[in-house]
Amino acid sequence: MTIRLRTLAASLMLAAASAASAASAASAASAASAAQTPPAPVHLPPGIAWQQGDVNAAFALAKASNKPLLLFWGAVWCPPCNQVKATIFSQQAFKDRSSFFVPVYLDGDSESAQKLGERFKVRGYPTMILFQPDGTEITRLPGEVDPARYMQALSLGMNATHPVRQTLASALKNGARLKPDEWRMLADYSWDTDGDLPVPAERIAETLQTLASHARADHAPAEALRLELKAVATAAVGEPKQTGTLDKTAALAAVGEVLKDPKLSRSDFDVLVASPAEITAYLSAKDTPARNRLVKQWDDALTVLAADNSLSATDRLSALDGRVSLARLDAPKGAPLASPLLDTVRQQVAAADKATTNVYERQSVISAGADTLTDAGLLDESDALLKAELKRSPAPYYFMSGLASNAKARGDKATALSWYQQAYDASNGPATRLRWGASYFSGLVELAPDDAPRIQGLATSLLTQVGQTPNAFYGTNRRALTKVVTRLAQWNKGGAHDSTVQTVAKQLEGICSKLPAGDPQVAACESLLQPVKA
């Protein structure tokens, strides 16, 4: 379920400054109204007694009933979240198991969600955390694996005698001796959403490789390989950029061992399909026999995975997109892909579109299919797929963002801005609107930097929404606002737009002044003022 959230784009055709000002005023009024509109009802697969709303009450229930608690943090628009709903939460095995724990759903747009997200150290959607009845975090479950592996990770967590934090401390010691299930928990831990373990974000790759070395020494070869794969993937993608030194020889050996064995490739497919081009570039030099061998091995493995019907449609499309990324790795920029691969992309995306009827899975499949078409250079076909989905999707603004990205790739600024604005106007829920508003703002500053009235109008609109949003300075809300003020400061480099920026700063200052004294949000709000004041 490795689905990328593309950088997004929207707004109407560029016009004269007076028309743009009018449009900005209208957009501001629309946003002020929409900010008060609650998000659409959240629909979850039936058969699970999800607790929603009062998270503290859910923890009290878990303690009183002596059951673990599973917290699922998600969003209506999020493709991987919907993939989890379709492939895991819809399974009878999960529904049956859910009676043994307290299942809690926390939507990112629900009241206090972003504040709670910081409490639980949530980084992104989806995040799934398993807690002991007393509220101690046990482990974080992987959202990108297939149902069988997920259920194994869930069972291991529910039966664990101590939190994974304690297991990690033991595993990092030289000469570590762990139980097989403890190595499995570490290998399947959701490092992508980790916010609880005492490992700096920039040293995750190094930590994973150390764990891999210790697992090998402790006779846990399958877990060692998986940890090694995750280490090199983290180092290659570099989000955030990793420090420390990774043993590339060991990493390359692990990658080669998994790629040549179909059973291992299937077992670790989630890591293999995620970033093959980045890992290949990290482990080998361009125009070398080593690079050519690795590309060939990886493409062969992805070809098998893309045709493996035991994987979900989204996962098969992710494998296909991996093949596209490898084909582009050393090719001249803009060079067309080979016709056989293009034909395969068209056929497989069309087949996935036709076969997928589940509303949750479509949000995931269409996203993956459109990404694959775009990456293959088939922008018109990607557009057609996305436009056809707008009326069917519960979150069409997500796909409008993809249309904006395609228009931007063509160099069509007006159409890109149009889709940016449409996506923002269609978005629903406080956190979602701030996220999409920040994307629209970035697109506007980048694609129409001379349209000061429009930029000021959108900034005013967003801050009006902020003033009406409780907990606006927590979690993804704060990150969206940071993106806006950073772009605003960059736009004003050299002082060309001082009057506009100071107007925005004054509005933000007014919002900060209305926060209750002693509220942690005061410091967060005032820190956002610094870039625009400077």
Side-chain angles (χ1 to χ4, degrees), residues 285-346:
K286 185 178 179 181
D287 296 328
T288 62
R291 169 70 63 88
N292 295 335
R293 281 194 303 273
L294 188 53
V295 167
K296 176 66 166 58
Q297 279 185 306
W298 215 309
D299 186 69
D300 288 346
L302 291 175
T303 300
V304 172
L305 292 172
D308 186 343
N309 288 326
S310 72
L311 293 173
S312 71
T314 296
D315 293 326
R316 296 197 301 273
L317 288 173
S318 294
L320 179 60
D321 192 52
R323 294 191 63 203
V324 170
S325 69
L326 285 171
R328 290 219 178 277
L329 178 58
D330 294 324
K333 187 175 181 180
L337 297 179
S339 294
L341 182 54
L342 288 176
D343 290 342
T344 299
V345 168
R346 291 187 176 102

Side-chain angles (χ1 to χ4, degrees), residues 5 11 31 34 47 81 121 157 223 230 247 258 262 265 293 297 348 363 369 393 432 462 488 527:
L5 173 61
S11 165
C81 303
K121 300 182 178 68
E223 290 70 29
K230 288 188 174 185
D247 183 345
V258 172
S265 293
R293 281 194 303 273
Q297 279 185 306
Q348 189 164 336
Q363 191 75 7
S393 173
T432 294
L462 288 169
L488 195 64
S527 70

Side-chain angles (χ1 to χ4, degrees), residues 139-159:
T139 191
R140 300 200 174 202
L141 299 170
E144 69 281 1
V145 297
D146 60 14
R149 193 166 203 125
Y150 183 92
M151 293 303 296
Q152 174 184 274
L154 176 61
S155 295
L156 291 175
M158 291 181 66
N159 293 318

Side-chain angles (χ1 to χ4, degrees), residues 109-454:
D109 283 306
S110 60
E111 186 177 357
S112 299
Q114 296 304 319
K115 185 177 182 179
L116 287 166
E118 289 206 357
R119 168 181 161 187
F120 298 123
K121 300 182 178 68
V122 168
R123 290 182 178 174
Y125 307 117
T127 295
M128 289 169 282
I129 311 175
L130 188 65
F131 295 89
Q132 292 176 341
D134 66 0
T136 302
E137 180 171 326
I138 304 172
T139 191
R140 300 200 174 202
L141 299 170
E144 69 281 1
V145 297
D146 60 14
R149 193 166 203 125
Y150 183 92
M151 293 303 296
Q152 174 184 274
L154 176 61
S155 295
L156 291 175
M158 291 181 66
N159 293 318
T161 57
H162 50 261
V164 74
R165 169 187 283 260
Q166 185 176 333
T167 304
L168 174 66
S170 299
L172 288 174
K173 295 177 181 176
N174 290 329
R177 292 294 180 264
L178 271 61
K179 296 176 182 177
D181 283 353
E182 291 177 320
W183 284 120
R184 292 186 189 110
M185 279 188 70
L186 288 172
D188 284 336
Y189 183 78
S190 181
W191 294 89
D192 289 344
T193 64
D194 170 58
D196 183 61
L197 297 182
V199 179
E202 69 276 7
R203 301 191 75 87
I204 289 177
E206 184 180 56
T207 301
L208 285 166
Q209 191 169 60
T210 298
L211 291 172
S213 174
H214 291 180
R216 275 193 298 273
D218 196 24
H219 310 292
E223 290 70 29
L225 283 174
R226 186 166 177 80
L227 288 163
E228 193 78 61
L229 288 179
K230 288 188 174 185
V232 69
T234 303
V237 175
E239 295 176 359
K241 186 175 180 180
Q242 298 293 293
T243 60
T245 302
L246 211 65
D247 183 345
K248 292 188 178 181
T249 301
L252 182 59
V255 168
E257 185 173 350
V258 172
L259 290 176
K260 71 181 181 182
D261 186 328
K263 289 184 178 180
L264 289 175
S265 293
R266 174 60 179 82
S267 179
D268 294 309
F269 79 89
D270 52 304
V271 188
L272 294 186
V273 305
S275 45
E278 292 87 347
I279 297 175
T280 299
Y282 180 79
L283 291 177
S284 61
K286 185 178 179 181
D287 296 328
T288 62
R291 169 70 63 88
N292 295 335
R293 281 194 303 273
L294 188 53
V295 167
K296 176 66 166 58
Q297 279 185 306
W298 215 309
D299 186 69
D300 288 346
L302 291 175
T303 300
V304 172
L305 292 172
D308 186 343
N309 288 326
S310 72
L311 293 173
S312 71
T314 296
D315 293 326
R316 296 197 301 273
L317 288 173
S318 294
L320 179 60
D321 192 52
R323 294 191 63 203
V324 170
S325 69
L326 285 171
R328 290 219 178 277
L329 178 58
D330 294 324
K333 187 175 181 180
L337 297 179
S339 294
L341 182 54
L342 288 176
D343 290 342
T344 299
V345 168
R346 291 187 176 102
Q347 292 165 9
Q348 189 164 336
V349 171
D353 177 21
K354 183 178 180 180
T356 305
T357 57
N358 180 283
V359 65
Y360 304 122
E361 194 169 18
R362 284 197 67 81
Q363 191 75 7
S364 171
V365 167
I366 298 304
S367 175
D371 279 357
T372 304
L373 289 168
T374 294
D375 291 343
L378 303 173
L379 297 182
D380 291 346
E381 289 163 73
S382 176
D383 277 1
L385 182 69
L386 293 169
K387 288 177 181 177
E389 196 66 15
L390 294 181
K391 291 183 179 180
R392 305 179 60 164
S393 173
Y397 47 88
Y398 185 91
F399 298 117
M400 292 174 187
S401 299
L403 289 162
S405 183
N406 286 347
K408 183 179 174 181
R410 292 188 186 94
D412 187 347
K413 296 180 181 180
T415 300
L417 286 173
S418 175
W419 283 117
Y420 262 129
Q421 184 171 354
Q422 290 181 63
Y424 174 48
D425 290 343
S427 62
N428 192 31
T432 294
R433 284 191 60 75
L434 280 178
R435 178 188 288 260
W436 258 258
S439 292
Y440 176 19
F441 190 84
S442 290
L444 188 56
V445 169
E446 178 184 353
L447 301 177
D450 295 330
D451 198 344
R454 193 173 181 180

